[in-house]
Amino acid sequence: MTLAHAPYSRRGLLLLSGGALATLAGCSVTPRIVPVDGATDDTRGALPLVNALRAKHGLPPVAASSPTGRAAAEQAVRMARANQMSHLIGLGDDFGVRMKRNGVPLPAAENIASGQVDVTAAVQAWINSPKHLENMLGSYRMMGVAMARSPSTTRTYWAMVLSA
């Protein structure tokens, strides 16, 4: 089981995005996540776990959103296809550009993991990791979680995107 977190500060993300903040689009109580071929949307399974954690720390809940769900699904599929757990895959990859392309408002954070059997195990692995826990307890309002399997190894790749 492996984990990684996005090493981006709020200021760094704003700089990466050129300072332009994307608008929150398509947000509703039960958003319809635009499917990304090869990804499973696990946001509904992760929300109660993350919101219980946030409540224990006196923080407001996060809600599912289409932009964060799409961004998480895209990242999970990218990692699965590359069979590599990494925030940045390929030359010229850029976190801020990826978030903007998916309509994710900044600041944003990304947690990634690989090898967990289900969403509960992925969230628990992030809770057990100080940097991932910090992301989940950040000043975010929206969240999306997705999983994809490597076509060559069937290894699972997980992505969580949190957003303002």
Side-chain angles (χ1 to χ4, degrees):
M1 166 175 35
T2 50
L3 298 167
H5 72 282
Y8 301 106
S9 67
R10 179 179 289 190
R11 181 172 170 75
L13 286 176
L14 290 174
L15 292 173
L16 279 174
S17 70
L21 294 177
T23 58
L24 180 61
C27 178
S28 67
V29 173
T30 340
R32 291 177 10 123
I33 306 298
V34 176
V36 174
D37 285 343
T40 301
D41 177 16
D42 283 303
T43 306
R44 286 184 187 203
L47 272 173
L49 304 170
V50 172
N51 284 333
L53 171 73
R54 290 176 62 86
K56 279 192 342 191
H57 288 85
L59 297 169
V62 291
S65 78
S66 293
T68 57
R70 274 192 312 272
E74 178 184 322
Q75 181 62 11
V77 168
R78 292 170 71 238
M79 292 187 300
R81 288 182 180 156
N83 208 24
Q84 172 187 359
M85 190 186 74
S86 178
H87 293 284
L88 303 176
I89 299 172
L91 198 58
D93 194 4
D94 184 292
F95 178 81
V97 169
R98 213 168 9 100
M99 293 303 110
K100 186 174 180 179
R101 178 176 60 243
N102 283 291
V104 174
L106 299 179
E110 179 177 77
N111 287 348
I112 58 176
S114 178
Q116 291 76 15
V117 296
D118 59 27
V119 70
T120 302
V123 172
Q124 188 60 54
W126 289 323
I127 289 170
N128 294 342
S129 166
K131 290 292 186 181
H132 294 95
L133 178 61
E134 182 180 322
N135 282 345
M136 291 187 292
L137 297 178
S139 297
Y140 299 112
R141 298 181 309 117
M142 303 295 161
M143 183 184 81
V145 176
M147 183 276 293
R149 290 186 187 278
S150 167
S152 61
T153 67
T154 69
R155 183 171 182 84
T156 57
Y157 289 88
W158 298 88
M160 170 189 281
V161 173
L162 297 139
S163 172

